[in-house]
Amino acid sequence: MILTYIEIRDGKIKKSSLETLSEASRKARETGTAAEAVVVGACPETAGADLGSAGASKVHVLESPELSVYSSQGFVRALETLVRETAPAAVFFPATAMGRDLAPRLAARLDVSLASDCTAVDISSGRIVFTRPVFAGKARLTLALTAAPAIATLRPNVFPLEAANGASAEVVKKTVDIPVDAVGGRVSEIVCEMGAVLDVSEAEIVVSGGRAMKGPEGFTQLSELAALLPRSAVGASRTAVDSGWIGHSHQVGQTGKTVSPNLYFAFGISGAIQHMAGMSSSKVIVAVNKDPEAPMFKVADYGIVGDLFAVIPALAAELKTLA
Amino acid sequence: MNVVVFLKRVPDTESRIRIDREAKAVLEEGLNFIISPNDEYAVEEALRLREAKGGKVTAVSFGPEEAAPTLRKALAMGADEAVLVKDDRRETYDSLRTARVLAAFVKARAADSDLLLFGRMSVGSDNASVPSMVAEILSLPQANVVTKLEIEGTKAVAHREIEGALEKVAFSLPAVVSAQKGLNEPRYETLKGIMAAKKKPVPVITPAELGLEGAALDPKVEILDLELPPAKPAGKILPGTPEEAAKELVRLLRTEAKVL
Ligand SMILES: Cc1cc2nc3c(=O)[nH]c(=O)nc-3n(C[C@H](O)[C@H](O)[C@H](O)COP(=O)(O)OP(=O)(O)OC[C@H]3O[C@@H](n4cnc5c(N)ncnc54)[C@H](O)[C@@H]3O)c2cc1C
Ligand SMILES: Nc1ncnc2c1ncn2[C@@H]1O[C@H](COP(=O)(O)O)[C@@H](O)[C@H]1O
């Protein structure tokens, strides 16, 4: 059995969790085993249908008064109980802030290692083989874990969703006992910085700008362009963030966020290795730069050599004709 | 307030990586090594806490003997002590193995620590896992990807970056915190600091001295392959005026790339 951790935010199942479960269920099918899902704490009513559709045969819901808010210690205790009881061959997490907080902690509790931020999973040889970027994407590591269960986090926006098929999963609720003194730290508050705006790491289209945006007004133009594109977010290079033109939460790269959207626009970003570290796994890359030698053109699928302040309005006008 | 800060020696982020496919390892020849960038925020935070609350800052690295200069940098910034735990292996990409060694160090040599500070993620292994694993092994609370840390007595609140929001985590000390850009601005070493650091010893100990030997140090990650990412075929440069190029771009994104 392959178990997938399902992250719930604001009472909803995160898309990255559905992607992770979809991949788990493909691998489980290939080896003739089951894919099951686990929700810790409050579970939305629609979980049976939503997770069944993504390939789960069963959804374990672990409940306890101690699990009403997120704590790495409490959640790991709950997951440990389930893992010991069901002995999965693998446990997958989405490589989100929560998944990356929790998965290593569970691994250590079970005395196994883990594969972080994987971009491919292969089971054809009979063992689970993971591929993941290392050295900020400058190299690619293929590895197997020698102790079971194999714990991995899977990079969001990389693995396709299973097509909805109307299947439904059995939901099994279980109360777990978490000693109060087992939890020394918990989330006290979540502050939404950006209102309803999508995070760069979750967006399907990222519109990024660099030093050439010249100031906050440049980023206003990028936001207007992003508003014409579905499920999009504005990204930035470190130079733009350090200049104070846009918040750090928008920074893409080694010291910022890793994104792999379907479409990545780089406006006036030279393509320093530390920036590429965060976006080179994007499916389609568009570079706009006045310097034809800019390294970003080397990874771009489409490039426009020119002044971005002329290209942005032209692109906006063209996108408006589609609407 | 006693703080231990954990540092890893890694190739400079600018480095071009070359690989020995046979050995499934990065070729170290010609590489310039630095302290992993996120770890500098951890050192800076440790120094600020000591300046505000007293106590001492100990810098620790698990790595080859060549990692001593990494620790000297922390000493030059102002750390009180540094210890190198010698690793006989090359990069294993195994965060559990590292975490067990670091946790064993804390148990054996720094059991009175109030705070264990890490970088969010190290360059190379790119795991972002060692801090949470050390926290679990030592049964401590954790706060990862932290951009702000407030400590009052034995109570702490950390701001951590999550998707589209900021999460405040309240926890009690001792605890594990991993630093993200934004936490502070790391100071530069001063000449005086560098000179003083030169005089300080950097003791080298083995994992065996911490009670870890043999199978306890075997990696649980089996490296099957290490390769450069496949080169991407050259993209299309779209000619013409901005209007023409924009029109063609939108057409290609819809019909060829099918992403719009
Ligand atoms: C340890 C470390 C970590 C780092 N982490 C990150 C990170 O996470 N993210 C990150 O982005 N960087 C990071 N950096 C910084 C990185 O090395 C680069 O300095 C940075 O990415 C450059 O930003 P930029 O491309 O916006 O600016 P520049 O490199 O200055 O490029 C600006 C580009 O805009 C073009 N241009 C100028 N005017 C116009 C115009 N009118 N129209 C079109 N094009 C124009 C120029 O030709 C140039 O290519 C890191 C550096 C270090 C050392
Ligand atoms: N070999 C090591 N020695 C000391 N600290 C380490 C080592 N490896 C990782 N760390 C610490 O753990 C953090 C996260 O590393 P990683 O989990 O490898 O991404 C780093 O930023 C360091 O603070």
Side-chain angles (χ1 to χ4, degrees):
Chain A
M1 188 266 283
I2 303 180
L3 183 65
T4 299
Y5 174 77
I6 304 297
E7 177 177 353
I8 312 287
R9 288 258 187 221
D10 299 328
K12 289 199 223 43
I13 298 170
K14 298 272 283 186
K15 177 164 168 275
S16 48
S17 293
L18 293 174
E19 293 166 8
T20 306
L21 174 60
S22 294
E23 181 65 8
S25 74
R26 283 187 288 270
K27 297 304 152 185
R29 255 202 318 272
E30 226 180 294
T31 42
T33 64
E36 299 183 4
V38 54
V39 173
V40 180
C43 181
E45 289 292 326
T46 57
D50 294 347
L51 301 174
S53 230
S57 55
K58 201 187 255 186
V59 181
H60 303 268
V61 181
L62 307 179
E63 298 174 316
S64 156
E66 284 301 311
L67 301 172
S68 58
V69 294
Y70 176 69
S71 73
S72 61
Q73 289 162 300
F75 276 43
V76 160
R77 289 278 186 125
L79 289 172
E80 181 199 13
T81 317
L82 182 67
V83 168
R84 296 219 188 269
E85 188 185 294
T86 58
V91 188
F92 290 177
F93 291 78
T96 53
M98 191 192 277
R100 299 196 78 166
D101 200 52
L102 212 44
R105 187 140 196 154
L106 178 66
R109 191 155 184 96
L110 301 170
D111 201 27
V112 299
S113 200
L114 95 163
S116 309
D117 204 19
C118 299
T119 50
V121 183
D122 180 33
I123 209 159
S124 59
S125 64
R127 66 200 296 213
I128 313 177
V129 171
F130 299 100
T131 300
R132 50 179 304 256
V134 290
F135 292 94
K138 286 188 266 187
R140 212 165 60 170
L141 178 69
T142 309
L143 67 103
L145 298 167
T146 59
I151 299 190
T153 59
L154 270 52
R155 185 176 281 194
N157 276 333
V158 170
F159 297 92
L161 288 174
E162 286 286 274
N165 55 14
S168 171
E170 179 197 355
V171 177
V172 187
K173 293 197 176 176
K174 199 176 153 197
T175 306
V176 285
D177 180 31
I178 311 287
V180 188
D181 61 3
V183 179
R186 51 165 57 81
V187 170
S188 56
E189 192 185 349
I190 293 180
V191 186
C192 257
E193 281 182 312
M194 307 186 291
V197 181
L198 263 186
D199 189 67
V200 271
S201 64
E202 300 182 306
E204 282 163 25
I205 301 179
V206 175
V207 183
S208 281
R211 187 199 299 272
M213 300 312 304
K214 284 207 175 103
E217 311 73 35
F219 279 90
T220 310
Q221 285 191 38
L222 286 187
S223 304
E224 286 161 10
L225 185 66
L228 300 169
L229 296 161
R231 290 194 61 81
S232 66
V234 174
S237 74
R238 175 167 172 172
T239 312
V241 169
D242 287 354
S243 306
W245 304 339
I246 187 162
H248 177 255
S249 60
H250 296 265
Q251 185 179 315
V252 172
Q254 190 160 335
T255 31
K257 287 182 175 148
T258 304
V259 303
S260 45
N262 293 333
L263 178 57
Y264 189 88
F265 286 96
F267 287 100
I269 299 180
S270 58
I273 188 74
Q274 297 93 348
H275 187 81
M276 304 256 218
M279 49 64 73
S280 56
S281 67
S282 304
K283 269 142 250 144
V284 175
I285 298 170
V286 173
V288 179
N289 199 302
K290 67 180 183 191
D291 173 10
E293 301 298 324
M296 190 56 86
F297 284 123
K298 293 209 172 61
V299 300
D301 298 276
Y302 303 106
I304 299 177
V305 178
D307 181 359
L308 63 89
F309 292 106
V311 175
I312 291 174
L315 197 54
E318 192 58 31
L319 288 172
K320 280 183 192 145
T321 66
L322 299 182
Chain B
M1 169 133 191
N2 294 332
V3 184
V4 183
V5 50
F6 296 94
L7 316 176
K8 188 172 179 186
R9 165 191 182 259
V10 302
D12 190 334
T13 58
E14 299 280 347
S15 321
R16 203 169 68 87
I17 297 291
R18 290 178 308 140
I19 289 169
D20 179 346
R21 283 296 282 280
E22 220 30 45
K24 298 172 196 154
V26 165
L27 284 167
E28 298 215 341
E29 186 201 338
L31 287 182
N32 178 29
F33 285 87
I34 58 165
I35 164 173
S36 192
N38 287 312
D39 300 357
E40 286 190 35
Y41 303 114
V43 177
E44 178 62 36
E45 198 66 14
L47 297 175
R48 290 186 189 192
L49 285 168
R50 184 197 58 197
E51 281 153 14
K53 300 174 194 288
K56 72 168 188 215
V57 174
T58 308
V60 177
S61 188
F62 176 47
E65 236 146 333
E66 292 82 4
T70 311
L71 289 166
R72 291 226 174 271
K73 167 152 176 129
L75 290 173
M77 284 172 77
D80 300 283
E81 296 170 5
V83 181
L84 175 64
V85 185
K86 195 169 169 289
D87 190 1
D88 292 327
R89 285 184 186 258
R90 292 214 251 179
E91 178 64 71
T92 58
Y93 304 95
D94 186 341
S95 38
L96 183 72
R97 182 173 176 272
T98 303
R100 293 178 70 172
V101 172
L102 302 185
F105 176 88
V106 175
K107 274 190 210 152
R109 306 280 174 110
D112 64 341
S113 303
D114 303 295
L115 186 65
L116 309 178
L117 272 169
F118 297 78
R120 164 184 72 105
M121 173 163 100
S122 70
V123 167
S125 83
D126 292 17
N127 268 318
S129 309
V130 169
S132 305
M133 287 181 161
V134 171
E136 178 56 38
I137 296 170
L138 298 173
S139 301
L140 298 178
Q142 71 189 40
N144 286 311
V145 203
V146 167
T147 53
K148 188 172 176 188
L149 179 62
E150 293 163 328
I151 296 181
E152 273 300 322
T154 59
K155 296 272 162 242
V157 174
H159 293 194
R160 68 183 222 102
E161 272 186 0
I162 65 168
E163 292 80 11
L166 186 138
E167 195 173 78
K168 292 188 188 172
V169 187
F171 54 99
S172 50
L173 300 185
V176 162
V177 168
S178 76
Q180 163 72 330
K181 181 189 174 226
L183 181 60
N184 52 46
E185 247 343 293
R187 68 194 65 186
Y188 291 103
E189 313 91 291
T190 58
L191 189 61
K192 196 168 144 245
I194 295 170
M195 297 310 285
K198 278 206 177 118
K199 291 199 203 92
K200 286 187 190 163
V202 176
V204 180
I205 62 172
T206 62
E209 289 171 65
L210 302 173
L212 291 171
E213 281 181 280
L217 288 173
D218 286 345
K220 293 184 181 180
V221 168
E222 185 182 337
I223 302 174
L224 302 175
D225 198 4
L226 184 66
E227 59 194 325
L228 295 177
K232 245 184 134 171
K236 282 186 189 159
I237 298 291
L238 312 177
T241 63
E243 289 71 24
E244 288 162 356
K247 198 175 171 80
E248 179 64 0
L249 177 63
V250 171
R251 189 186 73 79
L252 288 168
L253 290 176
R254 300 189 72 196
T255 59
E256 190 177 78
K258 299 194 168 61
V259 286
L260 283 187

